[in-house]
């Protein structure tokens, strides 16, 4: 089976779910707590490609799930066992629950049928969250992983999904990390070993909205 045929089989709308990872205003938005990451996500086209994938998923009846990382103002339940968590707690923009920072960033459009899963802990959208149970209830066989960052949360999501038995597809131009040249190296040397790597356009080609039959002429 060639790459295109394999991808088309993996991305069948009745068994695929699109996951966006931390595509929230406080991470990739204009007032990001991580301006370097936000700049790369935008300049590379990754954020725009996530938006294109979400729009295509809506049109093809593919379930979209947005994974959001947030924090209580009092910090209860948050991790403190790594330098990353301690640094995040000191950032000028906090991902506080209910704030603008944890809303999905433009140009991604959230539809009524989308699911949003919020977590207060950890590095992965899947570990210790409702995501696995939701995916199984949705009949998911293939998880399409997009978003940020290629440094931490995205590889965590990919590994967790593979360990849980899902097939994973990663549109390489719809994820971003810092520095910018780290992402292609990480895809080539790490994610390509466990996931199917594709482009946004390849995924869009598999999720083209079916053409409506022309109305009969009177």
């Amino acid at each position: 089976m060639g790459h295109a045929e394999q991808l088309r089989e993996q991305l069948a709308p009745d068994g695929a779910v699109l996951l966006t990872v931390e595509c929230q205003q406080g991470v990739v938005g204009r007032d990001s707590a991580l301006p370097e990451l936000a700049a790369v996500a935008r300049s590379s086209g990754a954020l725009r490609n996530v938006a294109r994938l979400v729009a295509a998923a809506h049109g093809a009846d593919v379930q979209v799930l947005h994974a959001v990382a947030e924090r209580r103002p009092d910090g209860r339940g948050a991790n403190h066992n790594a330098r990353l968590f301690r640094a995040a707690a000191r950032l000028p923009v906090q991902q506080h629950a209910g704030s603008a920072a944890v809303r999905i960033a433009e140009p991604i459009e959230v539809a009524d049928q989308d699911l949003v899963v919020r977590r207060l802990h950890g590095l992965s959208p899947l570990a210790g969250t409702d995501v696995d149970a939701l995916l199984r209830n949705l009949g998911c066989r293939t998880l399409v992983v997009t978003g940020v960052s290629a440094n931490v949360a995205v590889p965590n999501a990919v590994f967790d999904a593979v360990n849980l038995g899902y097939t994973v597809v990663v549109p390489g131009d719809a994820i971003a990390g810092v520095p910018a040249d780290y992402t292609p190296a990480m895809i080539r040397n790490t994610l390509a070993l466990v996931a199917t790597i594709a482009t946004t356009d390849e995924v869009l080609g598999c999720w083209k909205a079916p053409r409506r039959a022309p109305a009969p002429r009177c």
Side-chain angles (χ1 to χ4, degrees):
M1 183 182 298
H3 175 73
E5 291 77 11
Q6 179 188 47
L7 197 61
R8 194 173 300 112
E9 181 178 290
Q10 291 174 339
L11 294 176
D14 63 347
V17 171
L18 174 65
L19 175 69
T20 75
V21 179
E22 297 182 24
C23 292
Q24 56 203 76
Q25 291 185 25
V27 176
V28 295
R30 300 295 180 186
D31 298 317
S32 170
L34 304 165
E36 184 181 3
L37 176 60
V40 171
R42 291 181 176 276
S43 65
S44 68
L47 189 60
R48 180 176 61 87
N49 284 333
V50 174
R52 294 171 66 208
L53 288 163
V54 168
H58 291 158
D61 200 25
V62 172
Q63 181 65 54
V64 178
L65 195 158
H66 304 282
V68 174
E70 58 183 35
R71 179 184 178 90
R72 285 171 50 115
D74 61 10
R76 288 182 183 271
N79 287 65
H80 305 282
N81 57 335
R83 186 176 68 174
L84 175 64
F85 300 122
R86 294 190 292 272
R90 297 191 298 269
L91 291 172
V93 177
Q94 290 292 304
Q95 315 299 317
H96 285 163
S99 71
V102 297
R103 296 175 190 161
I104 301 302
E106 295 180 348
I108 299 168
E109 294 187 0
V110 181
D112 291 340
Q113 68 267 25
D114 292 1
L115 297 173
V116 180
V117 176
R118 303 177 184 278
R119 75 180 195 277
L120 294 172
H121 64 87
L123 301 170
S124 170
L126 278 76
T129 72
D130 294 335
V131 170
D132 181 38
L134 293 173
L135 293 178
R136 295 190 188 282
N137 288 345
L138 291 164
C140 176
R141 298 184 298 275
T142 299
L143 186 64
V144 183
V145 178
T146 66
V148 296
S149 76
N151 304 76
V152 179
V154 167
N156 266 266
V158 171
F159 288 135
D160 284 347
V162 170
N163 285 333
L164 289 167
Y166 300 101
T167 295
V168 178
V169 172
V170 177
D173 54 358
I175 66 172
V178 290
D181 59 1
Y182 173 76
T183 300
M186 189 274 297
I187 291 172
R188 183 173 60 253
N189 295 298
T190 303
L191 296 188
L193 302 178
V194 295
T196 299
I197 308 302
T199 65
T200 293
D201 285 343
E202 286 176 324
V203 176
L204 295 180
C206 297
W207 287 347
K208 286 181 179 177
R211 293 183 178 179
R212 295 181 180 178
R217 295 183 178 180
C218 297

